[in-house]
Amino acid sequence: MLSATAIVISALSTSLIRKRDPAGAPGDHSARSYDETHRRVRFTGYDGMFEVKCFVTVDVLARGLALRAPGEREYLEALDKMRAIILDAAKRAYNSNPPVAVLLDLSNFR
């Protein structure tokens, strides 16, 4: 089995490469997506060659937002701004018991 500490959150890493989507918004939006139904942002991590689905709830992302009604764009930007914190929380959650998917909520950030 691969080392759990090898997890790399690719969506967060690639978001550092600033691109523009067709609408002109900065960021690589293809690497992560907003799920309005479940109120979370999905991104992908890797443990060696194994893909790990990762999710972070909007409650976590909204902590730093001043907007009353943030939407997809604001949540994706918040994910980029909180990259280091989210990456650390994802590694801790994955290392504690490597699941098929990692779901990060407020309890992962205390």
Side-chain angles (χ1 to χ4, degrees), residues 78-93:
L79 181 85
D80 288 340
K81 290 177 184 174
M82 297 175 67
R83 177 190 178 280
I85 296 167
I86 292 171
L87 180 58
D88 287 343
K91 285 180 183 177
R92 282 193 310 274

Side-chain angles (χ1 to χ4, degrees), residues 1-108:
M1 181 166 175
L2 295 172
S3 168
T5 58
I7 189 168
V8 175
I9 308 302
S10 66
L12 296 176
S13 299
T14 58
S15 69
L16 290 178
I17 301 168
R18 305 312 283 177
K19 298 180 181 178
R20 293 202 175 269
D21 67 15
D28 180 5
H29 295 286
S30 63
R32 67 255 196 283
S33 61
Y34 175 60
D35 178 353
E36 187 172 2
T37 302
H38 295 103
R39 299 187 37 82
R40 61 190 183 189
V41 172
R42 179 185 190 274
F43 55 97
T44 305
Y46 292 92
D47 183 355
M49 62 184 251
F50 298 102
E51 184 174 285
V52 179
K53 294 177 185 173
C54 302
F55 304 91
V56 61
T57 63
V58 297
D59 295 341
V60 172
L61 300 172
R63 291 187 329 175
L65 298 175
L67 300 173
R68 290 197 179 271
E72 178 178 3
R73 183 177 180 165
E74 291 80 17
Y75 289 132
L76 294 175
E77 288 173 354
L79 181 85
D80 288 340
K81 290 177 184 174
M82 297 175 67
R83 177 190 178 280
I85 296 167
I86 292 171
L87 180 58
D88 287 343
K91 285 180 183 177
R92 282 193 310 274
Y94 186 81
N95 287 340
S96 67
N97 186 15
V100 174
V102 174
L103 175 62
L104 303 174
D105 60 20
L106 288 174
S107 68
N108 296 102

